[in-house]
Amino acid sequence: MDLQKLFKPKSMAVVGISKKNPLSPGRIVLLKNEFEMDVKVYGIYPNGGDLEGIHLYERLDKLPEIPDLLVIAVGPDDTLGYVQDCVDLNIPSCVIVGGGFAEIGGKGKKRQQQLEKIAFDNDIAVLGPNCLGVYAPPLVDTIFLPTERITRPPKGSVALISQSGGVLVDQFFNKFFERHIGVSTAVSIGNRAVVDEVMLLEYFSKVDPETSNIAFYLEGFKEGRARNFLKLAKESDDTVIVFFGGKTREGKVATQSHTASLAGDYKILSAALRQYQIVLPNSERELLTSLKVYDVLSHRKNPFGKNVITYGNVVIVSVSGGHGVIASDMLKKYGLNAVRLERHEKKDLKELLNPSAREIASFNNPIDLTGSVIDTDIEDVIKYLSDIERIECIIMLLLPYPPNISFQIGRRIANVVSTKNKPVVCFVPYVAKYSLIIESLELAHIPVFHSIKEAVQAVSALKHRTRNENVKKGNLFWV
Amino acid sequence: MDLQKLFKPKSMAVVGISKKNPLSPGRIVLLKNEFEMDVKVYGIYPNGGDLEGIHLYERLDKLPEIPDLLVIAVGPDDTLGYVQDCVDLNIPSCVIVGGGFAEIGGKGKKRQQQLEKIAFDNDIAVLGPNCLGVYAPPLVDTIFLPTERITRPPKGSVALISQSGGVLVDQFFNKFFERHIGVSTAVSIGNRAVVDEVMLLEYFSKVDPETSNIAFYLEGFKEGRARNFLKLAKESDDTVIVFFGGKTREGKVATQSHTASLAGDYKILSAALRQYQIVLPNSERELLTSLKVYDVLSHRKNPFGKNVITYGNVVIVSVSGGHGVIASDMLKKYGLNAVRLERHEKKDLKELLNPSAREIASFNNPIDLTGSVIDTDIEDVIKYLSDIERIECIIMLLLPYPPNISFQIGRRIANVVSTKNKPVVCFVPYVAKYSLIIESLELAHIPVFHSIKEAVQAVSALKHRTRNENVKKGNLFWV
């Protein structure tokens, strides 16, 4: 099944527009694509006329061209007729936003079976039903919530596939936006009657050149599809990340009334997935942190260089002893290792500092440069540590409180990283007035996190990626 | 030892002011108290003169009055002389910001012993050395970092005591500010040579009327003081919360070079602490979430009423199935229980909704009102659930995406809560444009969290508090 036209349509049509209700899904989709997106969009309305200056066509067969995509936003009883129209008019793909299918059981289940038959027999790429559809910037956005009410993540390397539309726009869109994690395409799969996680994994892995990281929020695999998913994940050159909702018994009960899937025993499942080189975050935050780092690594201007190899050997640099303590606490939890510094290295580091910091700084890993630190101390310490080969990554806990740290500090660190190519992940507290520092780092694609935990998780994500790449290359002994 | 004048000084003096260096700690403390705080502040400078319009006195004995507090911001060699001045002039308390004492070992250790002797023999309340001191709004602020570089939490019920100054201003001040958690007094105890966690627990518990919740960030108890701490915690009417840095071996090594304390075996310690009715959060986020809820409960306008009793029986209300799944997943982890709704209750709830939501909503707990929800649905559902006695708390997952949710929704929920007094904790995503909704809720003192996890942790915090209060009342069988 060809998904190209579903995700990269040149033209699309929308059925199910209300002239009376400004908040009807069809109307929202028509207007947001007309005014905000690049796709050519046509509205269908039985009596024709126009809506906010957009001409409406009476029927699909009256359109001036065959659209690549049809968005169906009508009630369940009318939906199948429009899918049949796709067959008759050679429209290759459609998004069904409405519910009333398998998720309500009974006749809805039967309706979904009919839908599946039409789609598979005629090779129509149907997304949904019961979904928000596709957000593929800058082309198309079928998410029928008013754009001014939601956030949109920036463009980037992550294909994001979610079984829950609510989780997609809330948990993911807001947090991608907040953290500047870029998506290539976001997909809400709803009941996944036709297009499912396996087809999507195949498309984003093999066809879509914009995607390097494929992230799934699932409540369970579609029945009978787990094996194909695992096989594709193992073969993929992209990083595949799966996060499961519904891990506990309570969660499972909730899932059953939500999209009628079953999570299975999570422990058994997760062991299997890891064997197939799938990254499996333990929390939503860990997922976001991993994606942020992977998105940076996939960027053309990735400051860490092409071959980032991290088995988890890190140095923590802070300007506050307490912060070093918290970060050290977390290393063990994430299977990371604080590199032991040699006596001569400690001596060298001490000599790099300004006289007042030199007296009170501490050079056990975590390194505490103290509140007497100045910009060049941080710069020189990172430079020095970058040249030590057994250090694979530096966690920089950057508090802007010491009075001699200037607004240049972000730029200074960025310059060191761009010459040394040693992975540096930064923690900077999230306060509006520190934006200048945060932006200087992020402009140079250095990932900045707003909690110590996330900075540590980021290194753990690099380690997982190194491990998976080793296994894929057949370098098995390290596992 | 009387700590009243340390935390509520009418007048204070500062020694260690530099005329040349605008960032010297003494100078920052002088200026921020002169311009930003209510205390009467005097600057001491050997040659007199003035600084930014403030008259400087040559010596402490030339001041027009005996100050309640002396801030000593000079090098370690000169510090003890000023402490002796406190004795000679009857200055009852001082803050020593500089280091060079026990934390450097050797002669520093000896110096600290001398300091202790002078202070205990003469009953001088010495805070520090090696600390940021006191932030007690609106009176006094000895934190020698420029105010424009840090954030300040609002005024409230939490006394916040931290063994790390960096953790205090970063982890806590930023996050208290962000979450609107109010402090009565914040204290950085540094080496805690004289004033220690036990004295502070006693003062805030028995003396300070503004404090109802006492939170500690410790890396370990001061030697020989754990027993007294536990005894006081058990007797206290306030809620006592302790969060430990340095829980793992790695963390412990870091702690030793930081403030020369020892965390001990964390598992043994935590079991003991819980027996003494101390709330022991497992993470910093859990700590913040607990404090946010406890601060609300301590407020005069607490919307949940005087006697909040929560054994963990909750209902989750969402407008997105996926969000309900995530919240359900977490209940078990936090020892909470999703109340099972009766058939007639589900029927009643269904009838409350608008016709389009009614058809697709789901009434298993978690309740999913779906994207077709309107304001009055949410209002009526919370009203109905509030009247069911076996429901102790409602977790409202409030996404502002459904197009018919209006900006009134926060106010509407607040009105229901203020009449029903049933605890309701809300999740609203943290996006600037949702501020209107978030503020309507928080103006009515309804705690709003920006992740689902925190909303669930908040209920867990209510449960811990209920348990501790039961035990304190001798109602032991429930433990």
Side-chain angles (χ1 to χ4, degrees):
Chain A
M1 200 165 274
D2 183 7
L3 306 188
Q4 189 100 30
K5 300 225 161 135
L6 176 61
F7 296 123
K8 305 255 186 268
K10 287 203 181 65
S11 58
M12 69 184 258
V14 183
V15 297
I17 292 160
S18 164
K19 281 195 181 178
K20 273 182 276 175
N21 176 8
L23 297 173
S24 79
R27 180 157 162 175
I28 290 174
V29 173
L30 174 70
L31 294 179
K32 75 157 63 176
N33 282 280
E34 172 71 17
F35 295 125
E36 302 165 19
M37 307 304 288
D38 287 357
V39 71
K40 172 71 197 157
V41 61
Y42 300 103
I44 308 294
Y45 192 76
N47 302 326
D50 61 80
L51 190 74
E52 305 200 21
I54 305 167
H55 174 70
L56 300 175
Y57 294 83
E58 290 168 21
R59 294 197 314 270
L60 279 168
D61 60 9
K62 294 222 168 177
L63 292 178
E65 63 175 317
I66 301 299
D68 287 339
L69 170 64
L70 177 64
V71 177
I72 304 175
V74 298
D77 291 333
D78 300 324
T79 296
L80 293 193
Y82 283 108
V83 179
Q84 189 56 51
D85 283 354
C86 290
V87 176
D88 299 341
L89 296 170
N90 285 318
I91 299 173
S93 57
C94 70
V95 172
I96 302 173
V97 301
F101 290 81
E103 83 283 3
I104 62 162
K107 67 175 178 187
K109 212 163 174 178
K110 212 162 176 183
R111 194 181 280 132
Q112 185 159 321
Q113 282 161 357
Q114 286 174 287
L115 168 67
E116 286 169 22
K117 184 159 168 48
I118 305 174
F120 282 114
D121 285 356
N122 299 282
D123 207 34
I124 310 284
V126 176
L127 189 62
N130 189 21
C131 76
L132 292 175
V134 181
Y135 169 62
L139 266 185
V140 61
D141 181 357
T142 75
I143 294 172
F144 57 83
L145 300 167
T147 311
E148 71 277 10
R149 283 187 181 250
I150 63 171
T151 48
R152 278 175 172 164
K155 185 81 185 170
S157 70
V158 179
L160 181 59
I161 295 116
S162 175
Q163 202 176 336
S164 160
V167 170
L168 184 73
V169 292
D170 174 46
Q171 302 299 88
F172 296 133
F173 276 22
N174 282 345
K175 285 164 188 173
F176 272 53
F177 174 79
E178 200 179 275
R179 289 166 169 80
H180 309 122
I181 307 171
V183 304
S184 53
T185 309
V187 190
S188 155
I189 56 177
N191 292 7
R192 54 183 172 183
V194 180
V195 172
D196 63 15
E197 60 271 30
V198 175
M199 292 183 209
L200 291 168
L201 177 52
E202 186 165 25
Y203 170 78
F204 287 114
S205 178
K206 296 189 179 166
V207 181
D208 186 37
E210 290 177 326
T211 297
S212 313
N213 302 289
I214 314 176
F216 292 85
Y217 171 81
L218 297 177
E219 288 156 0
F221 285 115
K222 190 174 172 180
E223 221 188 307
R225 298 290 272 166
R227 190 185 296 260
N228 295 45
F229 189 93
L230 295 179
K231 190 169 167 289
L232 279 166
K234 194 163 190 163
E235 289 165 3
S236 175
D237 287 336
D238 294 343
T239 303
V240 180
I241 306 117
V242 180
F243 180 65
F244 281 98
K247 283 180 211 160
T248 61
R249 197 188 58 80
E250 285 72 12
K252 236 186 284 172
V253 172
T255 309
Q256 279 162 357
S257 65
H258 180 220
T259 40
S261 69
L262 192 72
D265 186 302
Y266 186 69
K267 272 194 185 164
I268 296 170
L269 187 66
S270 59
L273 290 172
R274 290 213 169 90
Q275 272 184 12
Y276 283 81
Q277 286 78 66
I278 292 169
V279 178
L280 213 63
N282 289 309
S283 69
E284 190 201 299
R285 278 227 282 183
E286 213 175 305
L287 170 68
L288 291 162
T289 303
S290 306
L291 290 176
K292 167 127 192 168
V293 180
Y294 299 155
D295 190 34
V296 162
L297 292 181
S298 302
H299 199 278
R300 257 181 317 132
K301 298 260 166 138
N302 155 28
F304 302 152
K306 289 264 168 278
N307 295 306
V308 173
I309 295 176
T310 306
Y311 296 99
N313 298 306
V314 300
V315 169
I316 298 164
V317 181
S318 90
V319 298
S320 146
H323 285 73
V325 171
I326 293 177
S328 289
D329 271 3
M330 288 175 183
L331 288 187
K332 196 179 181 180
K333 186 177 166 191
Y334 289 97
L336 305 176
N337 168 43
V339 173
R340 203 185 169 85
L341 294 169
E342 306 288 338
R343 188 183 295 262
H344 73 273
E345 290 164 342
K346 291 184 191 178
K347 200 167 149 262
D348 289 349
L349 283 164
K350 189 167 181 172
E351 272 164 27
L352 290 173
L353 301 193
N354 81 78
S356 39
R358 190 181 299 154
E359 288 318 302
I360 49 178
S362 146
F363 301 94
N364 294 320
N365 183 0
I367 294 171
D368 176 11
L369 301 178
T370 78
S372 299
V373 70
I374 62 175
D375 284 8
T376 48
D377 294 343
I378 295 177
E379 204 179 338
D380 293 341
V381 165
I382 294 182
K383 253 185 217 162
Y384 184 87
L385 295 172
S386 297
D387 288 334
I388 300 177
E389 213 175 324
R390 66 187 196 287
I391 297 172
E392 295 162 345
C393 186
I394 298 166
I395 298 178
M396 178 71 225
L397 307 176
L398 184 59
L399 305 172
Y401 318 132
N404 290 304
I405 287 183
S406 88
F407 275 144
Q408 300 302 316
I409 189 64
R411 189 66 254 162
R412 281 173 182 272
I413 294 175
N415 290 348
V416 176
V417 175
S418 70
T419 49
K420 297 288 184 185
N421 293 148
K422 179 79 73 178
V424 174
V425 300
C426 291
F427 158 71
V428 182
Y430 186 66
V431 175
K433 59 188 169 186
Y434 306 149
S435 304
L436 203 152
I437 295 173
I438 296 168
E439 280 179 27
S440 338
L441 290 163
E442 296 227 314
L443 282 169
H445 308 287
I446 295 170
V448 180
F449 299 94
H450 303 310
S451 75
I452 297 175
K453 193 180 201 171
E454 286 173 314
V456 174
Q457 284 174 344
V459 184
S460 162
L462 290 174
K463 183 181 164 182
H464 284 305
R465 193 170 168 278
T466 302
R467 175 188 178 280
N468 285 350
E469 292 197 338
N470 267 330
V471 176
K472 282 178 184 169
K473 284 177 196 149
N475 190 356
L476 287 156
F477 78 96
W478 185 73
V479 186
Chain B
M1 201 165 271
D2 183 8
L3 305 188
Q4 189 100 28
K5 301 224 162 136
L6 177 60
F7 296 123
K8 305 256 186 268
K10 288 203 182 65
S11 57
M12 68 183 258
V14 183
V15 297
I17 293 161
S18 164
K19 282 196 180 178
K20 273 183 277 177
N21 176 8
L23 298 172
S24 79
R27 181 157 162 175
I28 290 174
V29 173
L30 173 69
L31 294 179
K32 73 157 65 177
N33 282 281
E34 172 72 16
F35 296 125
E36 301 165 21
M37 308 305 287
D38 287 357
V39 71
K40 172 71 197 156
V41 62
Y42 301 103
I44 307 295
Y45 193 78
N47 302 327
D50 61 80
L51 190 72
E52 303 200 22
I54 305 167
H55 175 71
L56 300 176
Y57 294 82
E58 290 168 22
R59 291 196 317 269
L60 279 168
D61 59 9
K62 295 221 170 179
L63 292 177
E65 63 176 317
I66 301 298
D68 287 339
L69 171 64
L70 177 64
V71 177
I72 303 175
V74 299
D77 291 332
D78 300 324
T79 295
L80 292 193
Y82 283 108
V83 179
Q84 189 55 50
D85 284 354
C86 289
V87 177
D88 299 341
L89 296 169
N90 285 318
I91 299 173
S93 57
C94 69
V95 171
I96 302 174
V97 301
F101 290 81
E103 83 282 3
I104 62 163
K107 68 176 175 185
K109 213 163 174 179
K110 212 162 176 181
R111 195 181 280 133
Q112 184 158 322
Q113 283 161 354
Q114 287 173 288
L115 168 67
E116 286 167 23
K117 186 163 166 40
I118 304 174
F120 282 113
D121 286 355
N122 299 282
D123 207 33
I124 310 285
V126 176
L127 189 61
N130 190 22
C131 75
L132 292 174
V134 181
Y135 169 62
L139 267 184
V140 61
D141 182 356
T142 75
I143 294 172
F144 57 83
L145 301 166
T147 311
E148 71 277 9
R149 284 190 180 246
I150 63 173
T151 49
R152 277 178 173 163
K155 185 81 186 172
S157 70
V158 180
L160 181 60
I161 295 117
S162 175
Q163 202 176 335
S164 161
V167 170
L168 184 72
V169 293
D170 174 47
Q171 302 298 86
F172 296 132
F173 276 21
N174 283 345
K175 285 164 186 172
F176 273 52
F177 174 79
E178 201 179 276
R179 290 165 168 78
H180 310 123
I181 307 170
V183 303
S184 53
T185 307
V187 190
S188 155
I189 55 177
N191 292 8
R192 55 184 172 182
V194 180
V195 172
D196 64 16
E197 59 271 31
V198 175
M199 291 184 211
L200 291 167
L201 176 52
E202 187 164 24
Y203 170 78
F204 287 113
S205 177
K206 297 189 179 166
V207 181
D208 187 35
E210 291 177 326
T211 298
S212 313
N213 302 288
I214 313 175
F216 292 85
Y217 171 81
L218 296 177
E219 289 157 0
F221 286 115
K222 188 174 172 179
E223 220 188 307
R225 298 291 271 167
R227 189 184 296 260
N228 295 44
F229 189 92
L230 296 178
K231 190 168 167 289
L232 279 166
K234 195 163 190 166
E235 289 166 4
S236 176
D237 287 333
D238 294 342
T239 304
V240 180
I241 306 118
V242 180
F243 180 66
F244 281 99
K247 284 181 211 161
T248 62
R249 198 187 57 80
E250 285 73 11
K252 235 184 290 173
V253 173
T255 309
Q256 279 162 358
S257 64
H258 180 220
T259 40
S261 68
L262 192 72
D265 188 302
Y266 186 68
K267 273 192 185 166
I268 296 171
L269 187 64
S270 59
L273 290 173
R274 289 212 171 88
Q275 273 185 9
Y276 282 81
Q277 287 76 66
I278 292 168
V279 178
L280 213 64
N282 289 308
S283 68
E284 190 200 298
R285 278 225 284 182
E286 214 174 303
L287 170 69
L288 291 163
T289 304
S290 307
L291 290 177
K292 168 131 189 164
V293 180
Y294 298 156
D295 190 33
V296 163
L297 292 181
S298 303
H299 199 278
R300 259 182 316 131
K301 298 260 167 139
N302 156 28
F304 303 153
K306 288 263 169 280
N307 294 307
V308 174
I309 295 175
T310 305
Y311 295 100
N313 299 304
V314 300
V315 168
I316 298 163
V317 181
S318 89
V319 299
S320 146
H323 285 73
V325 171
I326 293 177
S328 288
D329 272 4
M330 287 175 186
L331 289 187
K332 197 180 179 179
K333 186 176 166 193
Y334 288 97
L336 305 176
N337 169 43
V339 173
R340 203 185 170 84
L341 294 168
E342 305 289 338
R343 189 183 293 262
H344 72 274
E345 290 164 342
K346 291 184 191 176
K347 202 168 147 262
D348 289 350
L349 283 164
K350 190 167 181 174
E351 272 163 28
L352 290 173
L353 301 192
N354 81 79
S356 39
R358 191 181 299 153
E359 288 317 304
I360 49 177
S362 148
F363 301 95
N364 294 321
N365 184 359
I367 295 171
D368 177 10
L369 301 177
T370 78
S372 299
V373 70
I374 63 175
D375 284 7
T376 49
D377 294 343
I378 294 178
E379 205 180 337
D380 294 341
V381 164
I382 294 182
K383 252 186 220 161
Y384 184 87
L385 295 171
S386 296
D387 288 333
I388 300 178
E389 212 175 324
R390 65 188 198 284
I391 297 172
E392 296 163 343
C393 185
I394 298 166
I395 298 178
M396 179 72 226
L397 307 176
L398 184 60
L399 305 172
Y401 319 133
N404 290 304
I405 287 183
S406 88
F407 275 145
Q408 300 302 316
I409 189 63
R411 190 64 253 165
R412 281 173 183 272
I413 294 175
N415 290 348
V416 176
V417 175
S418 70
T419 51
K420 297 289 184 184
N421 293 147
K422 180 79 74 178
V424 174
V425 300
C426 292
F427 157 72
V428 182
Y430 186 66
V431 175
K433 59 188 168 186
Y434 306 149
S435 304
L436 203 152
I437 295 173
I438 296 168
E439 280 178 27
S440 337
L441 290 163
E442 297 226 314
L443 281 169
H445 307 289
I446 295 170
V448 180
F449 298 95
H450 303 310
S451 76
I452 297 175
K453 192 180 203 170
E454 285 172 314
V456 174
Q457 284 174 345
V459 184
S460 162
L462 289 174
K463 183 181 163 181
H464 284 306
R465 193 170 169 279
T466 301
R467 175 188 178 281
N468 284 351
E469 291 196 340
N470 266 332
V471 176
K472 281 177 187 171
K473 284 178 197 148
N475 190 356
L476 287 155
F477 77 97
W478 186 76
V479 185

